[in-house]
Short mmCIF file of all heavy atoms in Angstrom, two decimals:
data_model
loop_
_atom_site.label_atom_id
_atom_site.label_comp_id
_atom_site.label_asym_id
_atom_site.label_seq_id
_atom_site.Cartn_x
_atom_site.Cartn_y
_atom_site.Cartn_z
N ILE A 292 9.01 32.39 2.50
CA ILE A 292 8.50 32.29 1.11
C ILE A 292 9.18 33.51 0.32
O ILE A 292 8.84 34.60 0.63
CB ILE A 292 7.03 32.32 1.04
CG1 ILE A 292 6.50 31.00 1.71
CG2 ILE A 292 6.49 32.40 -0.37
CD1 ILE A 292 5.02 30.90 1.90
N VAL A 295 5.76 33.87 -5.14
CA VAL A 295 4.68 32.97 -5.43
C VAL A 295 4.28 33.33 -6.99
O VAL A 295 4.09 34.45 -7.23
CB VAL A 295 3.43 33.20 -4.61
CG1 VAL A 295 2.29 32.30 -4.99
CG2 VAL A 295 3.85 32.91 -3.12
N ILE A 303 0.12 26.65 -8.49
CA ILE A 303 0.95 27.80 -7.99
C ILE A 303 2.35 27.31 -7.74
O ILE A 303 2.59 26.17 -7.25
CB ILE A 303 0.37 28.48 -6.74
CG1 ILE A 303 0.09 27.46 -5.66
CG2 ILE A 303 -0.90 29.25 -7.07
CD1 ILE A 303 -0.30 28.13 -4.37
N TRP A 351 -7.08 22.12 1.93
CA TRP A 351 -5.83 22.56 2.41
C TRP A 351 -5.13 23.44 1.46
O TRP A 351 -4.72 24.57 1.88
CB TRP A 351 -4.96 21.39 2.80
CG TRP A 351 -3.75 21.78 3.72
CD1 TRP A 351 -3.80 21.77 5.02
CD2 TRP A 351 -2.54 22.27 3.22
NE1 TRP A 351 -2.47 22.28 5.43
CE2 TRP A 351 -1.78 22.59 4.36
CE3 TRP A 351 -2.07 22.55 1.93
CZ2 TRP A 351 -0.54 23.16 4.29
CZ3 TRP A 351 -0.79 23.08 1.89
CH2 TRP A 351 -0.05 23.40 3.01
N THR A 352 -4.90 22.95 0.24
CA THR A 352 -4.28 23.74 -0.79
C THR A 352 -5.02 24.97 -1.16
O THR A 352 -4.38 25.97 -1.39
CB THR A 352 -4.05 22.99 -2.03
OG1 THR A 352 -5.17 22.20 -2.42
CG2 THR A 352 -2.84 21.97 -1.86
N ALA A 353 -6.28 24.98 -1.08
CA ALA A 353 -7.03 26.13 -1.36
C ALA A 353 -6.76 27.21 -0.35
O ALA A 353 -6.61 28.38 -0.63
CB ALA A 353 -8.56 25.77 -1.36
N CYS A 354 -6.78 26.79 1.04
CA CYS A 354 -6.41 27.73 2.07
C CYS A 354 -5.07 28.33 1.90
O CYS A 354 -4.77 29.53 2.00
CB CYS A 354 -6.57 27.11 3.45
SG CYS A 354 -8.24 26.67 3.86
N PHE A 355 -4.11 27.42 1.59
CA PHE A 355 -2.76 27.79 1.38
C PHE A 355 -2.64 28.86 0.32
O PHE A 355 -1.99 29.89 0.44
CB PHE A 355 -1.96 26.51 1.00
CG PHE A 355 -0.45 26.74 0.88
CD1 PHE A 355 0.28 27.24 1.96
CD2 PHE A 355 0.18 26.43 -0.23
CE1 PHE A 355 1.63 27.39 1.72
CE2 PHE A 355 1.56 26.59 -0.46
CZ PHE A 355 2.27 27.06 0.62
N SER A 356 -3.34 28.68 -0.89
CA SER A 356 -3.23 29.50 -1.96
C SER A 356 -4.00 30.79 -1.69
O SER A 356 -3.51 31.90 -2.06
CB SER A 356 -3.79 28.96 -3.27
OG SER A 356 -5.13 28.84 -3.12
N GLU A 357 -5.01 30.76 -0.87
CA GLU A 357 -5.63 32.04 -0.47
C GLU A 357 -4.87 32.91 0.31
O GLU A 357 -4.92 34.12 0.21
CB GLU A 357 -6.99 31.64 0.32
CG GLU A 357 -8.10 30.94 -0.57
CD GLU A 357 -9.32 31.75 -0.41
OE1 GLU A 357 -9.66 32.28 0.72
OE2 GLU A 357 -10.00 31.95 -1.44
N LEU A 358 -4.07 32.31 1.18
CA LEU A 358 -3.08 33.19 2.00
C LEU A 358 -2.12 33.79 1.15
O LEU A 358 -1.73 34.94 1.34
CB LEU A 358 -2.43 32.22 3.03
CG LEU A 358 -3.30 31.74 4.19
CD1 LEU A 358 -2.49 30.65 5.00
CD2 LEU A 358 -3.66 32.82 5.11
N LEU A 359 -1.64 33.10 0.09
CA LEU A 359 -0.61 33.67 -0.74
C LEU A 359 -1.20 34.52 -1.84
O LEU A 359 -0.66 35.67 -2.15
CB LEU A 359 0.27 32.56 -1.32
CG LEU A 359 0.92 31.64 -0.43
CD1 LEU A 359 1.55 30.40 -1.20
CD2 LEU A 359 1.96 32.26 0.42
N LEU A 360 -2.17 33.99 -2.55
CA LEU A 360 -2.83 34.78 -3.67
C LEU A 360 -4.34 34.81 -3.40
O LEU A 360 -4.97 33.79 -3.64
CB LEU A 360 -2.56 34.07 -5.01
CG LEU A 360 -1.06 33.75 -5.32
CD1 LEU A 360 -1.02 32.74 -6.32
CD2 LEU A 360 -0.34 35.02 -5.85
N PRO A 361 -4.83 35.85 -2.90
CA PRO A 361 -6.24 35.81 -2.33
C PRO A 361 -7.31 35.54 -3.40
O PRO A 361 -8.42 35.34 -3.06
CB PRO A 361 -6.43 37.18 -1.75
CG PRO A 361 -5.07 37.71 -1.56
CD PRO A 361 -4.16 37.19 -2.55
N ASP A 362 -7.06 35.52 -4.71
CA ASP A 362 -8.07 35.47 -5.68
C ASP A 362 -8.55 34.05 -6.16
O ASP A 362 -9.52 33.89 -6.81
CB ASP A 362 -7.81 36.23 -6.94
CG ASP A 362 -7.53 37.69 -6.69
OD1 ASP A 362 -8.14 38.17 -5.67
OD2 ASP A 362 -6.73 38.30 -7.31
#
Side-chain angles (χ1 to χ4, degrees):
Chain A
I292 294 176
V295 179
I303 53 174
W351 193 94
T352 43
C354 288
F355 183 59
S356 72
E357 289 237 320
L358 287 171
L359 302 172
L360 306 160
D362 297 331

